[in-house]
């Protein structure tokens, strides 16, 4: 076991020893989420992936929003996309009616209303939109990711709020597409299954300026990756984005399936999974894991470019100094 794997595996064990004050989303149970699921993975810019803990594949949920946003930028150009969806943190819940009163635009692409608008930009009909999203997710993860049909069925059965948001977009004149079709496609992206290993590669693709570090495939332009990470920095952690920037300091996106991805541009992507969620919808143990890793490795972007070599620092931390 290399030192980083030992470090990650000890951190998983430590976190499993603490009882999170939070609950698993009923929907996550459908795909088999359990209290004792905890996993961490890192993918460096040279394509090395180190993972520890559970290998359970869980629905990526809102993590798909960051990928859809980058794909929309590559399809339409940044100027067009930001002329349709703002880039401002909302401080509100993920499914709030966050439409700017003056511009009639959704406030950012990582809350549901903005993500639904962005999803509509991925093509001219449901098939085209979901094909582009699924293709991009697969390319960013470096393998074909499975759709969890049962999760999608449950999502569709409980989608009144998302439908309402889509109709609000139509009423505000911000979207002309069929609301039902757009919501169904958006929810398909949420119901895709991935392991932390897959998600570390997705995060590594953002960190590596849009090139998947494992496969070498260019998935996004450097500009789309930069823009997605910019919005992840300010809006990626629901209404806890401010605390996250202060305590962890990495562009990130979480999902209510219990996953979190984060990227240190030019260096690596990281993913965490544990399904119990806090009041904001973020994984309790996942947030703790990132707080610990940032502290231990000095990952906070405001600390400057002095992040140590991961394996060397991990060896120090686990007391394996040779
Ligand atoms: N399927 C969820 C919804 O749109 C995604 C929520 C999330 O991960 O934030 O309601």
């Amino acid at each position: 076991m290399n030192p980083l794997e030992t470090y990650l595996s000890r951190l998983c064990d430590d976190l499993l020893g603490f009882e999170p004050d939070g609950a698993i989303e009923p929907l996550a149970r459908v795909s088999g989420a359990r209290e004792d699921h905890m996993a961490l993975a890192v993918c460096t810019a040279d394509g090395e992936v180190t993972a520890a803990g559970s290998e359970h594949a869980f629905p990526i949920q809102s993590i798909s929003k960051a990928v859809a946003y980058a794909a929309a930028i590559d399809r339409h150009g940044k100027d067009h996309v930001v002329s349709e969806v703002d880039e401002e943190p909302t401080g509100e819940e993920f499914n709030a009616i966050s439409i700017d009163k003056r511009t009639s635009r959704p406030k950012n692409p990582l809350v549901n209303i903005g993500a639904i608008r962005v999803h509509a930009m991925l093509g001219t009909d449901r098939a085209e939109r979901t094909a582009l999203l699924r293709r991009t997710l697969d390319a960013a993860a470096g393998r074909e990711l499975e759709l969890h049909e049962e999760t999608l069925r449950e999502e569709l059965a409980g989608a009144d709020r998302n439908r309402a948001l889509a109709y609000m977009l139509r009423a505000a004149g911000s979207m002309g597409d069929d609301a039902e079709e757009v919501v169904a496609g958006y929810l398909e992206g949420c119901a895709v299954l991935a392991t932390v290993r897959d998600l570390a590669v997705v995060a590594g693709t953002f960190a590596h300026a849009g090139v998947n570090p494992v496969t070498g495939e260019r998935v996004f332009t450097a500009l789309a990756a930069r823009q997605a990470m910019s919005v992840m920095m300010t809006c990626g952690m629901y209404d806890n984005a401010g605390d996250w920037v202060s305590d962890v300091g990495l562009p990130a996106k979480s999902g209510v399936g219990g996953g979190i991805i984060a990227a240190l541009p030019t260096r690596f992507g990281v993913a965490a999974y544990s399904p119990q969620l806090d009041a904001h919808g973020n994984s309790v143990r996942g947030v703790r894991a990132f707080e610990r890793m940032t502290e231990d490795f000095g990952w906070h972007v405001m600390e400057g470019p002095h992040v140590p070599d991961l394996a060397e620092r991990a060896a120090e931390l686990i007391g394996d100094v040779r």
Side-chain angles (χ1 to χ4, degrees):
M1 216 186 248
N2 75 47
L4 182 58
E5 191 179 343
T6 306
Y7 170 87
L8 295 176
S9 147
R10 287 189 191 169
L11 184 50
C12 284
D13 289 347
D14 264 20
L15 290 166
L16 278 173
F18 125 91
E19 209 44 61
D21 179 16
I24 300 182
E25 267 270 286
L27 197 59
R29 298 262 185 210
V30 172
S31 57
R34 287 200 327 243
E35 276 72 10
D36 61 348
H37 280 164
M38 173 75 225
L40 294 167
V42 175
C43 171
T44 59
D46 51 14
E48 201 170 311
V49 185
T50 308
S54 162
E55 290 174 8
H56 179 68
F58 53 91
I60 62 172
Q61 292 288 1
S62 272
I63 294 170
S64 63
K65 292 171 179 169
V67 172
Y69 184 51
I73 289 170
D74 282 334
R75 187 165 190 270
H76 295 282
K78 175 178 174 242
D79 290 350
H80 176 72
V81 175
V82 301
S83 76
E84 297 287 337
V85 180
D86 288 339
E87 312 159 277
E88 295 304 328
T90 65
E92 296 169 334
E93 289 183 338
F94 69 99
N95 58 7
I97 307 171
S98 304
I99 292 190
D100 186 277
K101 288 200 178 56
R102 199 175 44 82
T103 63
S104 296
R105 291 196 288 256
K107 288 209 183 129
N108 74 61
L110 300 184
V111 287
N112 284 16
I113 195 161
I116 290 168
R117 178 67 192 93
V118 165
H119 186 81
M121 285 187 227
L122 297 182
T124 51
D125 59 24
R126 178 174 173 187
E128 200 185 349
R129 291 188 284 259
T130 49
L132 176 57
L133 178 57
R134 297 287 301 280
R135 206 166 55 237
T136 312
L137 283 167
D138 291 352
R143 75 174 181 99
E144 218 171 288
L145 299 174
E146 199 187 318
L147 173 70
H148 197 247
E149 299 282 358
E150 211 181 326
T151 297
L152 179 57
R153 260 197 310 277
E154 295 281 321
E155 291 270 9
L156 285 166
D160 287 346
R161 178 89 194 179
N162 285 323
R163 292 196 177 96
L165 294 174
Y167 282 109
M168 282 295 303
L169 287 170
R170 286 179 54 87
S174 162
M175 182 175 88
D177 309 80
D178 181 290
E180 302 290 329
E181 295 269 290
V182 173
V183 168
Y186 155 77
L187 290 174
E188 183 169 331
C190 294
V192 166
L193 297 176
T195 62
V196 277
R197 181 178 279 274
D198 298 321
L199 290 180
V201 180
V202 172
T205 300
F206 281 118
H208 199 31
V211 175
N212 181 316
V214 177
T215 63
E217 183 184 354
R218 175 162 290 287
V219 183
F220 311 119
T221 58
L223 177 64
R226 188 192 81 180
Q227 177 66 12
M229 286 191 288
S230 305
V231 179
M232 286 157 72
M233 192 74 189
T234 50
C235 313
M237 297 297 285
Y238 302 117
D239 48 337
N240 197 43
D243 283 340
W244 174 270
V245 171
S246 142
D247 296 338
V248 178
L250 293 173
K253 184 70 202 93
S254 67
V256 297
I260 303 178
I261 60 167
L264 183 63
T266 75
R267 295 291 303 274
F268 47 77
V270 190
Y273 163 62
S274 166
Q276 293 93 329
L277 305 181
D278 64 19
H280 305 287
N282 296 319
S283 164
V284 183
R285 289 193 186 115
V287 171
R288 279 217 176 190
F290 273 102
E291 287 170 357
R292 280 271 295 277
M293 292 187 286
T294 282
E295 209 49 46
D296 284 346
F297 290 88
W299 286 348
H300 198 298
V301 291
M302 302 308 171
E303 285 188 34
H306 306 298
V307 177
D309 177 83
L310 292 178
E312 279 172 25
R313 178 68 184 137
E316 266 173 45
L317 288 162
I318 63 171
D320 176 22
V321 188
R322 273 164 277 194

